[in-house]
Amino acid sequence: MILPVVTRLARTSSSSRSAINTLGRRSLITRSHKSRPHFNDRNRRLITPISSALLPTRLSAAPYTTERILELRTGKTPSQGQPKTLYDATRETENCGVGMVLSLNSVPSRKVVEDGDEMLVRMSHRGGCGCDPASGDGAGILVGMPDSFMRSRAQELFGITLPSSGNYAVSNVFFPPNNPEALDNCKSIMERICKQRGIQVYGWREVPVNNSMLGQDPLDSEPVTQQLFVGNKKYQTERRFEQELLRVRKLVEDETNGIYGAENGFYINSLTGQTITYKGQLTPEQVSQYYLDLRNPEFSSHLAMVHSRFSTNTFPSWERAQPIRMMCHNGEINTLRGNKNWMYSRGGIMCSDYFGNETEQLLPATSDSMSDSGNFDSVLELLTKASERSLPESVMMMVPEAWQDNPNLSEAKRAFYEFNSCLMEPWDGPAMVAFCDGKYIGATLDRNGLRPSRYYVTNDD
């Protein structure tokens, strides 16, 4: 039996709390009366309508492939001007090293960050590099928002006191290298959409880096990295603030992709009030050497999730490094094409209680320009933030145990898996998935169980 390991991080005490509340949630995947499938009279093909607000051009009877959707949204054909090669973006997979360190009592400390970095370095054998050993396949670290550190930076740069923890966010953003015009334009788009959604923009901070140890490949594509500080001035709960941050990121990505095309060098690593991600086309040893914030004694956190990437059938890049926004992954998703097709087929009937008819702003959730891990992360984020599901519930929905004919499962758990099997097909590996949203952190194996992992609970919490 494969059991997920999930930790609910305490706010102020170590009292035990239920990690998973799986029953009684309202599904994100519900039928909208305004978007029922209908038959096209010309070819009798079943067509799921997509609002004109989502696509600038009316859909023809062409199949709704990832490439077709992106072409209609951006007005650009991905293959235009590209030479034919053996590389196939649909086979983006990786096999990597994953680890996490955390305080069960949610007490931030410098030791958590340092232990996370040490764990990452010790997984160098799980990552890949080019012929030049200084050119890594990718590595990174996701930490809980370092509150005291960010407050000091905000006071120093903007002369402000940030709102309470969870009511402000700091976003790590990659900008295209050697392109000041694109940098200014992307920043303006991000600021404008934040203000349109009632989110206070405090300003930008250049992230201090040291690139002296980078190999030629990552150096040639090294992005400009800046942080955007924003605050909650409109929404009554942290939950609503997080949902609006998700909307902002999706709208910004849509607009920038429409101008510059997919994979244009602009990439939002994280935009949330709970966590922040530092990653890149680096080796595990280079992460804390490159990002000087991670070496600052004031930089502390209650958790750290790390990842060392080994690219399989793929090219390394800064944005494909992990952790992504809510997870990191060892293995590969071998059902990826089916998973993406099913997500597209559901697009016309997806409706969120909070986003309502604007749910389409969050779609499509998958793309051929992302790796298998990137697609998994995007769907996980959609299920968790656009519905009332908890993060562990969404993970169990996407990566179920082998629940059929398993006598060790409780009836409630079996009923949960059976119910959700009607809503979401399994994302099968072999895969080990670690996940985190700042409040929950955990890990699970897919039902094949071929990426075994282990964990320890120490005496110092």
Side-chain angles (χ1 to χ4, degrees):
M1 180 172 62
I2 304 166
L3 295 175
V5 178
V6 183
T7 297
R8 175 65 161 92
L9 298 172
R11 283 280 186 176
T12 55
S13 70
S14 58
S15 59
S16 61
R17 300 181 64 175
S18 173
I20 303 174
N21 178 14
T22 58
L23 302 179
R25 301 291 192 187
R26 184 168 180 179
S27 172
L28 168 66
I29 304 173
T30 57
R31 181 171 296 279
S32 169
H33 294 294
K34 295 183 179 180
S35 58
R36 289 181 175 175
H38 63 84
F39 281 95
N40 183 292
D41 291 334
R42 292 195 304 171
N43 59 9
R44 307 300 293 170
R45 182 192 297 271
L46 184 62
I47 301 295
T48 300
I50 301 179
S51 168
S52 59
L54 178 65
L55 300 177
T57 310
R58 185 173 179 82
L59 284 175
S60 65
Y64 296 151
T65 63
T66 301
E67 297 86 349
R68 179 62 176 156
I69 294 291
L70 292 176
E71 178 185 347
L72 289 168
R73 297 188 72 172
T74 64
K76 299 181 180 181
T77 304
S79 60
Q80 281 181 345
Q82 298 296 320
K84 185 65 177 177
T85 68
L86 295 176
Y87 169 70
D88 184 355
T90 64
R91 297 185 62 82
E92 289 279 1
T93 57
E94 51 256 315
N95 290 276
C96 320
V98 176
M100 62 181 74
V101 179
L102 61 132
S103 164
L104 293 176
N105 293 330
S106 293
V107 178
S109 69
R110 179 65 191 160
K111 187 177 189 305
V112 168
V113 178
E114 292 175 344
D115 287 350
D117 180 57
E118 182 178 355
M119 175 181 285
L120 178 60
V121 171
R122 293 192 180 192
M123 288 195 301
S124 296
H125 64 288
R126 294 294 304 165
C129 63
C131 295
D132 176 5
S135 296
D137 278 9
I141 181 170
L142 178 150
V143 297
M145 188 63 68
D147 187 62
S148 61
F149 177 82
M150 293 305 178
R151 289 185 182 280
S152 296
R153 303 291 84 74
Q155 184 64 48
E156 174 186 311
L157 294 172
F158 316 123
I160 61 168
T161 299
L162 291 174
S164 60
S165 179
N167 283 300
Y168 74 89
V170 182
S171 173
N172 262 355
V173 184
F174 289 158
F175 294 96
N178 306 315
N179 194 338
E181 181 181 351
L183 185 147
D184 291 339
N185 194 26
C186 291
K187 288 171 70 171
S188 297
I189 292 171
M190 202 164 178
E191 291 176 17
R192 169 171 51 80
I193 294 178
C194 281
K195 293 174 182 177
Q196 288 173 351
R197 299 309 310 171
I199 294 174
Q200 177 72 46
V201 176
Y202 298 125
W204 294 86
R205 169 182 179 251
E206 291 188 11
V207 177
V209 298
N210 173 17
N211 62 9
S212 61
M213 80 295 297
L214 298 186
Q216 194 60 49
D217 285 347
L219 200 58
D220 289 342
S221 58
E222 180 188 14
V224 176
T225 307
Q226 295 194 17
Q227 289 175 341
L228 175 64
F229 286 68
V230 297
N232 179 12
K233 70 172 186 178
K234 178 180 178 181
Y235 303 99
Q236 295 182 348
T237 65
E238 293 180 17
R239 174 72 175 176
R240 294 292 179 250
F241 182 50
E242 288 292 318
Q243 289 174 315
E244 286 300 324
L245 292 174
L246 170 63
R247 187 205 303 261
V248 165
R249 203 196 81 236
K250 290 286 190 177
L251 292 175
V252 171
E253 289 173 347
D254 282 348
E255 187 165 340
T256 54
N257 287 346
I259 297 172
Y260 301 107
E263 298 186 89
N264 52 60
F266 174 76
Y267 180 83
I268 302 173
N269 289 286
S270 54
L271 180 56
T272 169
Q274 303 298 327
T275 62
I276 189 167
T277 302
Y278 290 81
K279 68 175 187 177
Q281 191 179 336
L282 308 166
T283 66
E285 296 88 351
Q286 291 172 346
V287 173
S288 62
Q289 299 172 19
Y290 181 79
Y291 289 111
L292 302 184
D293 284 355
L294 299 175
R295 305 179 74 86
N296 191 309
E298 195 179 358
F299 193 100
S300 60
S301 178
H302 62 296
L303 63 87
M305 187 166 71
V306 297
H307 186 272
S308 172
R309 187 169 189 246
F310 190 100
S311 303
T312 309
N313 302 328
T314 181
F315 292 121
S317 67
W318 285 80
E319 62 272 14
R320 284 197 180 94
Q322 299 184 37
I324 313 180
R325 296 172 182 115
M326 297 190 77
M327 55 80 71
C328 55
H329 167 228
N330 170 34
E332 53 190 37
I333 304 297
N334 285 315
T335 56
L336 183 62
R337 173 49 62 190
N339 295 131
K340 292 197 292 186
N341 288 345
W342 276 112
M343 286 305 299
Y344 276 117
S345 70
R346 299 184 185 107
I349 58 173
M350 275 189 168
C351 185
S352 162
D353 286 347
Y354 177 70
F355 292 99
N357 291 334
E358 295 177 337
T359 303
E360 61 193 19
Q361 294 176 340
L362 311 180
L363 303 174
T366 58
S367 168
D368 284 343
S369 65
M370 295 189 291
S371 67
D372 54 348
S373 304
N375 281 285
F376 186 102
D377 178 84
S378 181
V379 174
L380 178 62
E381 186 179 38
L382 178 71
L383 292 176
T384 304
K385 293 189 176 181
S387 74
E388 297 304 314
R389 294 181 179 87
S390 68
L391 177 59
E393 183 179 349
S394 298
V395 172
M396 292 173 67
M397 181 176 173
M398 295 180 69
V399 191
E401 300 175 54
W403 57 271
Q404 294 167 311
D405 302 318
N406 185 344
N408 298 311
L409 286 184
S410 66
E411 287 303 315
K413 203 171 186 182
R414 186 190 310 278
F416 168 82
Y417 285 128
E418 184 173 6
F419 173 78
N420 282 290
S421 68
C422 301
L423 304 176
M424 174 72 69
E425 68 294 329
W427 292 61
D428 270 342
M432 177 271 192
V433 176
F435 51 90
C436 177
D437 63 358
K439 296 182 178 180
Y440 288 100
I441 188 168
T444 188
L445 304 183
D446 77 306
R447 56 187 176 174
N448 294 297
L450 299 178
R451 290 292 184 271
S453 305
R454 60 185 176 183
Y455 69 96
Y456 299 94
V457 178
T458 62
N459 294 328
D460 58 356
D461 295 327

